[in-house]
Amino acid sequence: MATFFGEVLSVYSRAVEEDDDEEEQDEEDQLILRELEDKRQVRVRWSPTIEQSPDSGHRLPCPHLLLAVGHNATRFVSVYFLSHGGWDAVGHVSLWNERTVHSEDTTCVLHRHRESHVLVCQVDCFVAEDQLFQWTEQVLGSLDASQVTVLSDCPAAEYQSPQPLGPDPCLRSLHTSAWSEPICCPPVELPNLVSGLPAAVVSFCQLHNISAAVYQCYSDARSADSTTMDMFRPVVARLAQDLKLDFSPDRDILRKFISQANVQSNLYI
C-alpha cells in the first residue's frame, strides 16, 4: 500500500491471523474429540487360555448366554450361580463414560461354565446410549450364541399402569420371534418399554434370528434385596437344572450383599 508521500507500507490483516487461530483451535478440538471417542470405545479382552478365542477371529461357541443388568440381577447371579463353583473368567468388557468416572468397577466379567460352556455376564455399570451398539457388537458379535436370557432391574416408578404395582416387585418379559420356550410372566405392556442395554441386546438378537428373552423386574428396592432377587428364580430354574446346580442361594454371600445395602442405606438416614 502506498501513502500520499509515496511511502510503501506493508499490509496487515487481522482477519488472516484470526483465520489461523481458528484453524489451530479446530485442530485442537478435533484432536480432543478423537481422544474422547477412543476413550469411549467398548473393549473386550478374552482369556488366552480358551480355545478358538474371538481374538483370533473365531466366534466362541455359546449354547446359552445369561446376561444380568442392574444391581439385583447381578447379585442374583452371584448368589445362585457363580457361588457354586465350576466357572472360569474367560473375558472382560471394559468401558468409560461420564457416569463411570468415579466408579470403582467399570468392567463386566464373562464367566464360562466348565462343563456346559454356558456364559454368564454381569453388568452393574452404566452403559451410555452411544456405547450400546458397541457393547452388543463387541460381545454378542464374538459369540456363536444359541440362546440369550437377560435379567434386568428397573425402578417401579418407571412402570406405567392404571393400577398401582403395590409394595411387591413384579416381573415382565419381552422376547424375540425365535424364542420358543414358555414365558413365566406377563409381557411388557404398552406404553412401557425396555430400554438401555437389555433393549440393545434383544434388538441385536431379533436382527440375527437368535432366541432371546428379557425379564425385567420392577421394584422399589434401591439396593440388594432378597425379595427382588427371588423374582428371577423361576426364569432360570431350567437353566440351573441343566447346569446340575442345586439352585440354593449361598447364604454367606447373600448376607454380605444385604448387610452392605443396609450400611449404605444408613448413611442417608
Side-chain angles (χ1 to χ4, degrees):
M1 181 179 69
T3 66
F4 178 78
F5 299 101
E7 182 182 2
V8 178
L9 301 177
S10 60
V11 178
Y12 173 76
S13 175
R14 291 184 60 187
V16 174
E17 186 175 286
E18 289 175 354
D19 289 342
D20 292 339
D21 291 341
E22 289 180 0
E23 290 179 0
E24 292 179 2
Q25 185 64 42
D26 289 342
E27 291 177 358
E28 292 178 2
D29 291 344
Q30 291 175 6
L31 178 60
I32 292 173
L33 289 174
R34 285 195 297 268
E35 292 176 349
L36 183 60
E37 184 178 352
D38 181 69
K39 193 173 184 179
R40 294 177 70 90
Q41 290 293 317
V42 178
R43 293 178 171 84
V44 183
R45 300 189 307 275
W46 295 97
S47 171
T49 60
I50 61 175
E51 298 178 359
Q52 295 183 340
S53 170
D55 290 334
S56 59
H58 297 89
R59 295 177 66 194
L60 188 66
C62 175
H64 199 136
L65 170 64
L66 177 60
L67 175 63
V69 183
H71 207 64
N72 277 291
T74 55
R75 269 47 178 185
F76 169 81
V77 168
S78 293
V79 170
Y80 283 90
F81 282 85
L82 300 181
S83 63
H84 291 286
W87 299 87
D88 295 318
V90 296
H92 296 78
V93 187
S94 59
L95 57 88
W96 179 94
N97 55 57
E98 293 77 6
R99 293 269 293 271
T100 64
V101 173
H102 303 292
S103 178
E104 296 180 0
D105 186 11
T106 59
T107 301
C108 316
V109 181
L110 285 153
H111 291 89
R112 185 172 68 168
H113 194 254
R114 294 182 193 132
E115 295 182 4
S116 66
H117 287 185
V118 166
L119 281 174
V120 166
C121 183
Q122 297 166 285
V123 185
D124 199 16
C125 60
F126 176 74
V127 183
E129 185 175 351
D130 64 308
Q131 295 174 317
L132 295 174
F133 178 77
Q134 290 184 53
W135 200 101
T136 54
E137 283 288 329
Q138 291 290 328
V139 177
L140 295 178
S142 301
L143 306 176
D144 185 10
S146 301
Q147 193 171 55
V148 177
T149 301
V150 183
L151 310 180
S152 173
D153 294 356
C154 193
E158 295 185 10
Y159 185 78
Q160 301 180 47
S161 172
Q163 301 296 327
L165 288 179
D168 297 328
C170 75
L171 198 66
R172 295 294 183 266
S173 64
L174 179 68
H175 61 84
T176 63
S177 55
W179 185 271
S180 59
E181 296 188 7
I183 297 292
C184 62
C185 66
V188 175
E189 305 97 332
L190 293 174
N192 297 286
L193 299 172
V194 174
S195 60
L197 187 58
V201 169
V202 77
S203 297
F204 179 96
C205 293
Q206 177 67 25
L207 181 63
H208 293 83
N209 198 33
I210 300 173
S211 175
V214 175
Y215 292 92
Q216 191 151 276
C217 184
Y218 295 90
S219 171
D220 285 326
R222 297 183 179 179
S223 55
D225 173 68
S226 58
T227 304
T228 303
M229 291 185 202
D230 284 342
M231 296 297 295
F232 294 120
R233 290 191 66 177
V235 174
V236 290
R238 181 175 177 180
L239 176 59
Q241 184 178 2
D242 293 340
L243 295 176
K244 299 179 181 178
L245 301 178
D246 60 7
F247 209 42
S248 60
D250 187 306
R251 298 295 178 183
D252 292 335
I253 297 179
L254 181 59
R255 279 194 292 268
K256 176 184 176 182
F257 287 147
I258 300 301
S259 62
Q260 288 176 347
N262 291 336
V263 170
Q264 292 174 355
S265 298
N266 291 335
L267 293 176
Y268 299 95
I269 296 178

mmCIF file of all heavy atoms in Angstrom, residues 193-243:
data_model
loop_
_atom_site.group_PDB
_atom_site.id
_atom_site.type_symbol
_atom_site.label_atom_id
_atom_site.label_comp_id
_atom_site.label_asym_id
_atom_site.label_seq_id
_atom_site.Cartn_x
_atom_site.Cartn_y
_atom_site.Cartn_z
ATOM 1 N N LEU A 193 -41.722 -49.644 27.975
ATOM 2 C CA LEU A 193 -40.706 -50.042 27.011
ATOM 3 C C LEU A 193 -39.508 -50.645 27.732
ATOM 4 O O LEU A 193 -39.250 -50.325 28.901
ATOM 5 C CB LEU A 193 -40.233 -48.840 26.184
ATOM 6 C CG LEU A 193 -41.275 -48.120 25.327
ATOM 7 C CD1 LEU A 193 -40.678 -46.846 24.745
ATOM 8 C CD2 LEU A 193 -41.767 -49.024 24.213
ATOM 9 N N VAL A 194 -38.799 -51.502 27.046
ATOM 10 C CA VAL A 194 -37.495 -51.975 27.518
ATOM 11 C C VAL A 194 -36.455 -51.057 26.905
ATOM 12 O O VAL A 194 -36.486 -50.791 25.699
ATOM 13 C CB VAL A 194 -37.242 -53.438 27.101
ATOM 14 C CG1 VAL A 194 -35.839 -53.871 27.467
ATOM 15 C CG2 VAL A 194 -38.265 -54.349 27.760
ATOM 16 N N SER A 195 -35.554 -50.552 27.709
ATOM 17 C CA SER A 195 -34.569 -49.584 27.216
ATOM 18 C C SER A 195 -33.162 -49.997 27.637
ATOM 19 O O SER A 195 -32.960 -51.006 28.312
ATOM 20 C CB SER A 195 -34.895 -48.179 27.752
ATOM 21 O OG SER A 195 -34.873 -48.172 29.176
ATOM 22 N N GLY A 196 -32.192 -49.197 27.237
ATOM 23 C CA GLY A 196 -30.813 -49.428 27.637
ATOM 24 C C GLY A 196 -30.212 -50.680 27.021
ATOM 25 O O GLY A 196 -30.575 -51.100 25.919
ATOM 26 N N LEU A 197 -29.293 -51.291 27.766
ATOM 27 C CA LEU A 197 -28.588 -52.474 27.265
ATOM 28 C C LEU A 197 -29.522 -53.650 26.988
ATOM 29 O O LEU A 197 -29.344 -54.336 25.965
ATOM 30 C CB LEU A 197 -27.486 -52.867 28.254
ATOM 31 C CG LEU A 197 -26.542 -53.979 27.795
ATOM 32 C CD1 LEU A 197 -25.855 -53.611 26.496
ATOM 33 C CD2 LEU A 197 -25.511 -54.290 28.879
ATOM 34 N N PRO A 198 -30.517 -53.955 27.851
ATOM 35 C CA PRO A 198 -31.438 -55.051 27.517
ATOM 36 C C PRO A 198 -32.120 -54.857 26.163
ATOM 37 O O PRO A 198 -32.276 -55.815 25.400
ATOM 38 C CB PRO A 198 -32.445 -55.024 28.670
ATOM 39 C CG PRO A 198 -31.691 -54.453 29.817
ATOM 40 C CD PRO A 198 -30.790 -53.417 29.203
ATOM 41 N N ALA A 199 -32.530 -53.625 25.853
ATOM 42 C CA ALA A 199 -33.184 -53.357 24.571
ATOM 43 C C ALA A 199 -32.203 -53.538 23.417
ATOM 44 O O ALA A 199 -32.562 -54.082 22.361
ATOM 45 C CB ALA A 199 -33.748 -51.932 24.559
ATOM 46 N N ALA A 200 -30.961 -53.093 23.604
ATOM 47 C CA ALA A 200 -29.960 -53.237 22.548
ATOM 48 C C ALA A 200 -29.663 -54.708 22.283
ATOM 49 O O ALA A 200 -29.507 -55.128 21.126
ATOM 50 C CB ALA A 200 -28.671 -52.500 22.953
ATOM 51 N N VAL A 201 -29.602 -55.505 23.339
ATOM 52 C CA VAL A 201 -29.304 -56.933 23.193
ATOM 53 C C VAL A 201 -30.437 -57.663 22.481
ATOM 54 O O VAL A 201 -30.216 -58.449 21.548
ATOM 55 C CB VAL A 201 -29.020 -57.568 24.573
ATOM 56 C CG1 VAL A 201 -28.970 -59.090 24.465
ATOM 57 C CG2 VAL A 201 -27.707 -57.049 25.140
ATOM 58 N N VAL A 202 -31.688 -57.421 22.902
ATOM 59 C CA VAL A 202 -32.808 -58.121 22.286
ATOM 60 C C VAL A 202 -32.999 -57.666 20.838
ATOM 61 O O VAL A 202 -33.418 -58.462 19.979
ATOM 62 C CB VAL A 202 -34.102 -57.932 23.121
ATOM 63 C CG1 VAL A 202 -34.713 -56.555 22.913
ATOM 64 C CG2 VAL A 202 -35.117 -59.018 22.817
ATOM 65 N N SER A 203 -32.666 -56.415 20.536
ATOM 66 C CA SER A 203 -32.742 -55.937 19.144
ATOM 67 C C SER A 203 -31.696 -56.631 18.282
ATOM 68 O O SER A 203 -31.973 -57.032 17.145
ATOM 69 C CB SER A 203 -32.536 -54.420 19.095
ATOM 70 O OG SER A 203 -33.568 -53.746 19.788
ATOM 71 N N PHE A 204 -30.486 -56.778 18.815
ATOM 72 C CA PHE A 204 -29.420 -57.486 18.098
ATOM 73 C C PHE A 204 -29.843 -58.929 17.830
ATOM 74 O O PHE A 204 -29.660 -59.445 16.722
ATOM 75 C CB PHE A 204 -28.126 -57.447 18.921
ATOM 76 C CG PHE A 204 -26.957 -58.163 18.288
ATOM 77 C CD1 PHE A 204 -26.025 -57.456 17.552
ATOM 78 C CD2 PHE A 204 -26.785 -59.534 18.447
ATOM 79 C CE1 PHE A 204 -24.936 -58.099 16.962
ATOM 80 C CE2 PHE A 204 -25.713 -60.189 17.865
ATOM 81 C CZ PHE A 204 -24.785 -59.473 17.123
ATOM 82 N N CYS A 205 -30.410 -59.572 18.845
ATOM 83 C CA CYS A 205 -30.832 -60.969 18.701
ATOM 84 C C CYS A 205 -31.977 -61.115 17.697
ATOM 85 O O CYS A 205 -32.019 -62.072 16.921
ATOM 86 C CB CYS A 205 -31.235 -61.534 20.051
ATOM 87 S SG CYS A 205 -29.855 -61.702 21.221
ATOM 88 N N GLN A 206 -32.908 -60.179 17.698
ATOM 89 C CA GLN A 206 -34.003 -60.221 16.730
ATOM 90 C C GLN A 206 -33.465 -60.084 15.313
ATOM 91 O O GLN A 206 -33.907 -60.785 14.389
ATOM 92 C CB GLN A 206 -35.004 -59.104 17.037
ATOM 93 C CG GLN A 206 -36.152 -58.995 16.062
ATOM 94 C CD GLN A 206 -37.100 -60.180 16.114
ATOM 95 O OE1 GLN A 206 -37.199 -60.867 17.140
ATOM 96 N NE2 GLN A 206 -37.806 -60.438 15.016
ATOM 97 N N LEU A 207 -32.508 -59.180 15.139
ATOM 98 C CA LEU A 207 -31.933 -58.937 13.820
ATOM 99 C C LEU A 207 -31.171 -60.160 13.309
ATOM 100 O O LEU A 207 -31.191 -60.455 12.109
ATOM 101 C CB LEU A 207 -31.005 -57.724 13.885
ATOM 102 C CG LEU A 207 -30.331 -57.304 12.575
ATOM 103 C CD1 LEU A 207 -31.370 -56.872 11.552
ATOM 104 C CD2 LEU A 207 -29.340 -56.176 12.829
ATOM 105 N N HIS A 208 -30.517 -60.890 14.228
ATOM 106 C CA HIS A 208 -29.696 -62.038 13.832
ATOM 107 C C HIS A 208 -30.397 -63.373 14.090
ATOM 108 O O HIS A 208 -29.748 -64.422 14.088
ATOM 109 C CB HIS A 208 -28.357 -61.997 14.570
ATOM 110 C CG HIS A 208 -27.479 -60.847 14.158
ATOM 111 N ND1 HIS A 208 -27.616 -59.587 14.693
ATOM 112 C CD2 HIS A 208 -26.480 -60.769 13.241
ATOM 113 C CE1 HIS A 208 -26.716 -58.781 14.154
ATOM 114 N NE2 HIS A 208 -26.018 -59.466 13.273
ATOM 115 N N ASN A 209 -31.703 -63.308 14.330
ATOM 116 C CA ASN A 209 -32.515 -64.518 14.496
ATOM 117 C C ASN A 209 -31.999 -65.414 15.624
ATOM 118 O O ASN A 209 -31.903 -66.642 15.489
ATOM 119 C CB ASN A 209 -32.566 -65.317 13.187
ATOM 120 C CG ASN A 209 -33.714 -66.301 13.160
ATOM 121 O OD1 ASN A 209 -34.781 -66.054 13.731
ATOM 122 N ND2 ASN A 209 -33.513 -67.448 12.514
ATOM 123 N N ILE A 210 -31.664 -64.798 16.748
ATOM 124 C CA ILE A 210 -31.211 -65.530 17.937
ATOM 125 C C ILE A 210 -32.362 -65.605 18.933
ATOM 126 O O ILE A 210 -33.053 -64.617 19.177
ATOM 127 C CB ILE A 210 -30.001 -64.838 18.581
ATOM 128 C CG1 ILE A 210 -28.820 -64.767 17.587
ATOM 129 C CG2 ILE A 210 -29.561 -65.559 19.852
ATOM 130 C CD1 ILE A 210 -27.649 -63.941 18.091
ATOM 131 N N SER A 211 -32.569 -66.760 19.503
ATOM 132 C CA SER A 211 -33.601 -66.935 20.522
ATOM 133 C C SER A 211 -33.200 -66.171 21.781
ATOM 134 O O SER A 211 -32.181 -66.485 22.409
ATOM 135 C CB SER A 211 -33.765 -68.428 20.827
ATOM 136 O OG SER A 211 -34.676 -68.620 21.892
ATOM 137 N N ALA A 212 -33.998 -65.165 22.150
ATOM 138 C CA ALA A 212 -33.636 -64.318 23.294
ATOM 139 C C ALA A 212 -34.883 -63.826 24.014
ATOM 140 O O ALA A 212 -35.931 -63.624 23.400
ATOM 141 C CB ALA A 212 -32.795 -63.128 22.834
ATOM 142 N N ALA A 213 -34.736 -63.626 25.322
ATOM 143 C CA ALA A 213 -35.829 -63.087 26.136
ATOM 144 C C ALA A 213 -35.259 -62.174 27.217
ATOM 145 O O ALA A 213 -34.201 -62.452 27.779
ATOM 146 C CB ALA A 213 -36.634 -64.212 26.784
ATOM 147 N N VAL A 214 -35.975 -61.068 27.458
ATOM 148 C CA VAL A 214 -35.623 -60.130 28.519
ATOM 149 C C VAL A 214 -36.662 -60.256 29.624
ATOM 150 O O VAL A 214 -37.873 -60.231 29.355
ATOM 151 C CB VAL A 214 -35.592 -58.675 28.004
ATOM 152 C CG1 VAL A 214 -35.345 -57.705 29.165
ATOM 153 C CG2 VAL A 214 -34.535 -58.513 26.935
ATOM 154 N N TYR A 215 -36.196 -60.404 30.849
ATOM 155 C CA TYR A 215 -37.077 -60.426 32.021
ATOM 156 C C TYR A 215 -36.737 -59.208 32.866
ATOM 157 O O TYR A 215 -35.646 -59.116 33.431
ATOM 158 C CB TYR A 215 -36.899 -61.711 32.811
ATOM 159 C CG TYR A 215 -37.390 -62.938 32.075
ATOM 160 C CD1 TYR A 215 -36.527 -63.686 31.276
ATOM 161 C CD2 TYR A 215 -38.723 -63.346 32.162
ATOM 162 C CE1 TYR A 215 -36.975 -64.802 30.586
ATOM 163 C CE2 TYR A 215 -39.175 -64.461 31.478
ATOM 164 C CZ TYR A 215 -38.294 -65.179 30.696
ATOM 165 O OH TYR A 215 -38.740 -66.284 30.007
ATOM 166 N N GLN A 216 -37.674 -58.280 32.937
ATOM 167 C CA GLN A 216 -37.450 -57.020 33.617
ATOM 168 C C GLN A 216 -38.231 -56.985 34.922
ATOM 169 O O GLN A 216 -39.455 -57.142 34.924
ATOM 170 C CB GLN A 216 -37.870 -55.851 32.719
ATOM 171 C CG GLN A 216 -37.451 -54.489 33.224
ATOM 172 C CD GLN A 216 -37.237 -53.525 32.072
ATOM 173 O OE1 GLN A 216 -36.174 -53.490 31.460
ATOM 174 N NE2 GLN A 216 -38.247 -52.737 31.755
ATOM 175 N N CYS A 217 -37.501 -56.771 36.015
ATOM 176 C CA CYS A 217 -38.133 -56.738 37.335
ATOM 177 C C CYS A 217 -38.295 -55.294 37.786
ATOM 178 O O CYS A 217 -37.314 -54.559 37.925
ATOM 179 C CB CYS A 217 -37.275 -57.504 38.346
ATOM 180 S SG CYS A 217 -38.035 -57.608 39.980
ATOM 181 N N TYR A 218 -39.558 -54.890 37.993
ATOM 182 C CA TYR A 218 -39.862 -53.554 38.503
ATOM 183 C C TYR A 218 -39.931 -53.624 40.027
ATOM 184 O O TYR A 218 -40.727 -54.384 40.580
ATOM 185 C CB TYR A 218 -41.183 -53.043 37.939
ATOM 186 C CG TYR A 218 -41.164 -52.826 36.451
ATOM 187 C CD1 TYR A 218 -41.513 -53.847 35.567
ATOM 188 C CD2 TYR A 218 -40.808 -51.592 35.913
ATOM 189 C CE1 TYR A 218 -41.506 -53.650 34.191
ATOM 190 C CE2 TYR A 218 -40.794 -51.384 34.537
ATOM 191 C CZ TYR A 218 -41.148 -52.418 33.689
ATOM 192 O OH TYR A 218 -41.137 -52.218 32.333
ATOM 193 N N SER A 219 -39.097 -52.827 40.681
ATOM 194 C CA SER A 219 -39.016 -52.908 42.136
ATOM 195 C C SER A 219 -38.670 -51.549 42.724
ATOM 196 O O SER A 219 -38.026 -50.717 42.078
ATOM 197 C CB SER A 219 -37.940 -53.933 42.541
ATOM 198 O OG SER A 219 -37.693 -53.904 43.927
ATOM 199 N N ASP A 220 -39.109 -51.334 43.966
ATOM 200 C CA ASP A 220 -38.761 -50.110 44.694
ATOM 201 C C ASP A 220 -37.396 -50.208 45.357
ATOM 202 O O ASP A 220 -36.881 -49.216 45.886
ATOM 203 C CB ASP A 220 -39.809 -49.813 45.776
ATOM 204 C CG ASP A 220 -41.105 -49.264 45.179
ATOM 205 O OD1 ASP A 220 -41.012 -48.547 44.160
ATOM 206 O OD2 ASP A 220 -42.183 -49.566 45.706
ATOM 207 N N ALA A 221 -36.810 -51.401 45.364
ATOM 208 C CA ALA A 221 -35.524 -51.610 46.036
ATOM 209 C C ALA A 221 -34.426 -50.836 45.320
ATOM 210 O O ALA A 221 -34.259 -50.952 44.108
ATOM 211 C CB ALA A 221 -35.180 -53.092 46.078
ATOM 212 N N ARG A 222 -33.680 -50.043 46.078
ATOM 213 C CA ARG A 222 -32.584 -49.268 45.501
ATOM 214 C C ARG A 222 -31.237 -49.951 45.690
ATOM 215 O O ARG A 222 -30.230 -49.473 45.189
ATOM 216 C CB ARG A 222 -32.549 -47.875 46.139
ATOM 217 C CG ARG A 222 -33.806 -47.045 45.872
ATOM 218 C CD ARG A 222 -33.678 -45.669 46.472
ATOM 219 N NE ARG A 222 -34.860 -44.844 46.209
ATOM 220 C CZ ARG A 222 -35.015 -43.600 46.630
ATOM 221 N NH1 ARG A 222 -34.036 -43.025 47.330
ATOM 222 N NH2 ARG A 222 -36.118 -42.925 46.348
ATOM 223 N N SER A 223 -31.231 -51.038 46.422
ATOM 224 C CA SER A 223 -30.000 -51.777 46.666
ATOM 225 C C SER A 223 -30.335 -53.260 46.720
ATOM 226 O O SER A 223 -31.472 -53.654 46.424
ATOM 227 C CB SER A 223 -29.344 -51.305 47.974
ATOM 228 O OG SER A 223 -30.258 -51.409 49.053
ATOM 229 N N ALA A 224 -29.347 -54.077 47.070
ATOM 230 C CA ALA A 224 -29.546 -55.527 47.086
ATOM 231 C C ALA A 224 -30.720 -55.905 47.978
ATOM 232 O O ALA A 224 -30.787 -55.512 49.149
ATOM 233 C CB ALA A 224 -28.269 -56.211 47.567
ATOM 234 N N ASP A 225 -31.660 -56.674 47.414
ATOM 235 C CA ASP A 225 -32.887 -57.024 48.123
ATOM 236 C C ASP A 225 -33.252 -58.466 47.781
ATOM 237 O O ASP A 225 -33.405 -58.807 46.601
ATOM 238 C CB ASP A 225 -34.006 -56.067 47.707
ATOM 239 C CG ASP A 225 -35.352 -56.473 48.270
ATOM 240 O OD1 ASP A 225 -35.524 -56.393 49.499
ATOM 241 O OD2 ASP A 225 -36.225 -56.879 47.466
ATOM 242 N N SER A 226 -33.390 -59.316 48.798
ATOM 243 C CA SER A 226 -33.627 -60.740 48.563
ATOM 244 C C SER A 226 -34.975 -60.995 47.887
ATOM 245 O O SER A 226 -35.108 -61.911 47.075
ATOM 246 C CB SER A 226 -33.549 -61.514 49.889
ATOM 247 O OG SER A 226 -34.497 -61.011 50.811
ATOM 248 N N THR A 227 -35.999 -60.181 48.200
ATOM 249 C CA THR A 227 -37.313 -60.359 47.574
ATOM 250 C C THR A 227 -37.254 -60.094 46.078
ATOM 251 O O THR A 227 -37.839 -60.825 45.269
ATOM 252 C CB THR A 227 -38.351 -59.418 48.224
ATOM 253 O OG1 THR A 227 -38.383 -59.660 49.641
ATOM 254 C CG2 THR A 227 -39.727 -59.638 47.643
ATOM 255 N N THR A 228 -36.530 -59.049 45.700
ATOM 256 C CA THR A 228 -36.380 -58.732 44.279
ATOM 257 C C THR A 228 -35.583 -59.817 43.567
ATOM 258 O O THR A 228 -35.913 -60.218 42.450
ATOM 259 C CB THR A 228 -35.687 -57.368 44.105
ATOM 260 O OG1 THR A 228 -36.455 -56.366 44.794
ATOM 261 C CG2 THR A 228 -35.575 -56.997 42.647
ATOM 262 N N MET A 229 -34.532 -60.293 44.210
ATOM 263 C CA MET A 229 -33.720 -61.364 43.616
ATOM 264 C C MET A 229 -34.550 -62.617 43.366
ATOM 265 O O MET A 229 -34.408 -63.272 42.321
ATOM 266 C CB MET A 229 -32.537 -61.714 44.526
ATOM 267 C CG MET A 229 -31.475 -60.654 44.640
ATOM 268 S SD MET A 229 -30.085 -61.252 45.626
ATOM 269 C CE MET A 229 -29.362 -59.720 46.151
ATOM 270 N N ASP A 230 -35.425 -62.946 44.288
ATOM 271 C CA ASP A 230 -36.226 -64.166 44.158
ATOM 272 C C ASP A 230 -37.158 -64.134 42.952
ATOM 273 O O ASP A 230 -37.593 -65.188 42.470
ATOM 274 C CB ASP A 230 -37.049 -64.396 45.430
ATOM 275 C CG ASP A 230 -36.198 -64.937 46.567
ATOM 276 O OD1 ASP A 230 -35.092 -65.438 46.280
ATOM 277 O OD2 ASP A 230 -36.642 -64.862 47.725
ATOM 278 N N MET A 231 -37.458 -62.934 42.443
ATOM 279 C CA MET A 231 -38.338 -62.834 41.280
ATOM 280 C C MET A 231 -37.704 -63.484 40.048
ATOM 281 O O MET A 231 -38.417 -63.919 39.138
ATOM 282 C CB MET A 231 -38.650 -61.362 40.980
ATOM 283 C CG MET A 231 -39.418 -60.641 42.077
ATOM 284 S SD MET A 231 -41.060 -61.361 42.364
ATOM 285 C CE MET A 231 -41.864 -61.014 40.805
ATOM 286 N N PHE A 232 -36.391 -63.561 40.018
ATOM 287 C CA PHE A 232 -35.711 -64.132 38.858
ATOM 288 C C PHE A 232 -35.605 -65.662 38.917
ATOM 289 O O PHE A 232 -35.234 -66.284 37.918
ATOM 290 C CB PHE A 232 -34.297 -63.552 38.734
ATOM 291 C CG PHE A 232 -34.258 -62.078 38.432
ATOM 292 C CD1 PHE A 232 -33.648 -61.195 39.305
ATOM 293 C CD2 PHE A 232 -34.830 -61.574 37.275
ATOM 294 C CE1 PHE A 232 -33.603 -59.838 39.030
ATOM 295 C CE2 PHE A 232 -34.791 -60.217 36.987
ATOM 296 C CZ PHE A 232 -34.175 -59.342 37.866
ATOM 297 N N ARG A 233 -35.918 -66.258 40.046
ATOM 298 C CA ARG A 233 -35.696 -67.695 40.208
ATOM 299 C C ARG A 233 -36.467 -68.552 39.206
ATOM 300 O O ARG A 233 -35.885 -69.442 38.570
ATOM 301 C CB ARG A 233 -36.039 -68.118 41.638
ATOM 302 C CG ARG A 233 -35.056 -67.618 42.685
ATOM 303 C CD ARG A 233 -35.270 -68.261 44.023
ATOM 304 N NE ARG A 233 -34.975 -69.705 43.975
ATOM 305 C CZ ARG A 233 -35.028 -70.494 45.042
ATOM 306 N NH1 ARG A 233 -35.381 -70.003 46.229
ATOM 307 N NH2 ARG A 233 -34.741 -71.766 44.937
ATOM 308 N N PRO A 234 -37.779 -68.338 39.014
ATOM 309 C CA PRO A 234 -38.493 -69.189 38.046
ATOM 310 C C PRO A 234 -38.004 -69.023 36.609
ATOM 311 O O PRO A 234 -38.163 -69.935 35.790
ATOM 312 C CB PRO A 234 -39.955 -68.747 38.185
ATOM 313 C CG PRO A 234 -39.970 -67.534 39.010
ATOM 314 C CD PRO A 234 -38.666 -67.379 39.678
ATOM 315 N N VAL A 235 -37.390 -67.874 36.304
ATOM 316 C CA VAL A 235 -36.934 -67.604 34.937
ATOM 317 C C VAL A 235 -35.807 -68.551 34.539
ATOM 318 O O VAL A 235 -35.769 -69.071 33.419
ATOM 319 C CB VAL A 235 -36.470 -66.138 34.817
ATOM 320 C CG1 VAL A 235 -35.854 -65.879 33.456
ATOM 321 C CG2 VAL A 235 -37.628 -65.191 35.078
ATOM 322 N N VAL A 236 -34.887 -68.784 35.471
ATOM 323 C CA VAL A 236 -33.676 -69.544 35.143
ATOM 324 C C VAL A 236 -33.626 -70.896 35.850
ATOM 325 O O VAL A 236 -32.574 -71.520 35.926
ATOM 326 C CB VAL A 236 -32.414 -68.717 35.478
ATOM 327 C CG1 VAL A 236 -32.267 -67.553 34.534
ATOM 328 C CG2 VAL A 236 -32.464 -68.231 36.926
ATOM 329 N N ALA A 237 -34.760 -71.342 36.361
ATOM 330 C CA ALA A 237 -34.781 -72.630 37.066
ATOM 331 C C ALA A 237 -34.355 -73.773 36.146
ATOM 332 O O ALA A 237 -33.600 -74.667 36.545
ATOM 333 C CB ALA A 237 -36.170 -72.883 37.638
ATOM 334 N N ARG A 238 -34.839 -73.737 34.901
ATOM 335 C CA ARG A 238 -34.490 -74.811 33.968
ATOM 336 C C ARG A 238 -33.002 -74.769 33.613
ATOM 337 O O ARG A 238 -32.357 -75.813 33.488
ATOM 338 C CB ARG A 238 -35.335 -74.691 32.704
ATOM 339 C CG ARG A 238 -35.047 -75.790 31.687
ATOM 340 C CD ARG A 238 -35.978 -75.708 30.496
ATOM 341 N NE ARG A 238 -35.647 -76.718 29.497
ATOM 342 C CZ ARG A 238 -36.301 -76.877 28.351
ATOM 343 N NH1 ARG A 238 -37.333 -76.089 28.073
ATOM 344 N NH2 ARG A 238 -35.926 -77.801 27.501
ATOM 345 N N LEU A 239 -32.473 -73.559 33.450
ATOM 346 C CA LEU A 239 -31.046 -73.422 33.150
ATOM 347 C C LEU A 239 -30.208 -73.968 34.297
ATOM 348 O O LEU A 239 -29.214 -74.674 34.068
ATOM 349 C CB LEU A 239 -30.697 -71.961 32.900
ATOM 350 C CG LEU A 239 -29.209 -71.636 32.659
ATOM 351 C CD1 LEU A 239 -28.684 -72.397 31.457
ATOM 352 C CD2 LEU A 239 -29.003 -70.137 32.492
ATOM 353 N N ALA A 240 -30.610 -73.668 35.527
ATOM 354 C CA ALA A 240 -29.889 -74.191 36.683
ATOM 355 C C ALA A 240 -29.945 -75.719 36.720
ATOM 356 O O ALA A 240 -28.966 -76.383 37.086
ATOM 357 C CB ALA A 240 -30.471 -73.606 37.966
ATOM 358 N N GLN A 241 -31.085 -76.263 36.330
ATOM 359 C CA GLN A 241 -31.223 -77.719 36.289
ATOM 360 C C GLN A 241 -30.302 -78.321 35.227
ATOM 361 O O GLN A 241 -29.668 -79.357 35.459
ATOM 362 C CB GLN A 241 -32.676 -78.091 35.990
ATOM 363 C CG GLN A 241 -32.945 -79.589 36.024
ATOM 364 C CD GLN A 241 -34.411 -79.908 35.757
ATOM 365 O OE1 GLN A 241 -35.215 -79.016 35.509
ATOM 366 N NE2 GLN A 241 -34.763 -81.180 35.817
ATOM 367 N N ASP A 242 -30.206 -77.665 34.072
ATOM 368 C CA ASP A 242 -29.314 -78.148 33.015
ATOM 369 C C ASP A 242 -27.854 -78.103 33.459
ATOM 370 O O ASP A 242 -27.039 -78.954 33.061
ATOM 371 C CB ASP A 242 -29.484 -77.317 31.749
ATOM 372 C CG ASP A 242 -30.854 -77.505 31.110
ATOM 373 O OD1 ASP A 242 -31.505 -78.526 31.416
ATOM 374 O OD2 ASP A 242 -31.268 -76.625 30.329
ATOM 375 N N LEU A 243 -27.522 -77.118 34.290
ATOM 376 C CA LEU A 243 -26.152 -76.997 34.792
ATOM 377 C C LEU A 243 -25.899 -77.886 36.008
ATOM 378 O O LEU A 243 -24.802 -77.891 36.552
ATOM 379 C CB LEU A 243 -25.860 -75.532 35.171
ATOM 380 C CG LEU A 243 -25.874 -74.518 34.027
ATOM 381 C CD1 LEU A 243 -25.660 -73.109 34.550
ATOM 382 C CD2 LEU A 243 -24.820 -74.857 32.992
#
